[in-house]
């Protein structure tokens, strides 16, 4: 969820709202610095590092690559229900680690 929110914010920076048709052909220069990185991102990555690798794998497949539970299950050779439970538990652990940091 956090990665999705960050992606939405970043995508909004790339879009220029205008009512002038000639502006539509103009390219937008993106300049990002470490200072622009959300302060909670470092905390998020630290919390993510505390999870076991299989939990991180499932979270990345779900939220970064937008696979469904069924697709992840097929990739990992397990049932959709098992993936749903592991995903739920991984999110709960991640939430718990993030709350400790706050």
């Amino acid at each position: 969820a956090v990665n999705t929110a960050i992606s939405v914010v970043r995508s909004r920076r790339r879009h220029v709202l205008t009512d002038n048709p000639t502006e539509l052909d103009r390219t937008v220069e993106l300049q990002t610095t470490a200072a622009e990185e959300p302060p909670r991102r470092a905390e998020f990555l630290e919390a993510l590092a505390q999870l076991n690798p299989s939990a991180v794998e499932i979270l990345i497949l779900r939220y970064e690559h937008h696979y469904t539970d069924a697709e992840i299950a097929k990739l990992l050779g397990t049932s959709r229900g098992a993936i749903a439970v592991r995903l739920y538990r991984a999110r709960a652990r991640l939430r718990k680690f993030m709350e400790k940091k706050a």
Side-chain angles (χ1 to χ4, degrees):
V2 173
N3 282 339
T4 303
I6 290 170
S7 296
V8 169
V9 170
R10 286 182 180 159
S11 72
R12 287 181 183 165
R13 290 185 205 159
R14 291 190 295 262
H15 295 90
V16 177
L17 299 177
T18 181
D19 60 349
N20 184 352
T22 59
E23 290 289 314
L24 296 176
D25 294 329
R26 186 175 60 97
T27 59
V28 177
E29 297 294 325
L30 291 179
Q31 295 179 2
T32 58
T33 63
E36 292 177 4
E37 195 73 18
R40 301 255 313 156
R41 179 138 175 102
E43 294 172 6
F44 171 73
L45 293 174
E46 188 176 317
L48 199 60
Q50 293 179 16
L51 296 175
N52 64 30
S54 65
V56 174
E57 179 182 32
I58 292 170
L59 287 168
I60 289 172
L61 287 170
R62 179 70 180 102
Y63 295 107
E64 189 66 27
H65 297 288
H66 308 289
Y67 284 111
T68 65
D69 292 358
E71 291 169 329
I72 296 169
K74 188 174 181 179
L75 285 171
L76 300 180
T78 188
S79 70
R80 191 211 58 81
I83 294 299
V85 169
R86 290 169 59 188
L87 186 59
Y88 174 83
R89 290 177 180 166
R91 283 192 308 252
R93 286 186 193 110
L94 188 60
R95 190 177 306 112
K96 182 179 174 183
F97 290 137
M98 292 294 291
E99 287 171 357
K100 285 182 182 178
K101 293 289 180 183

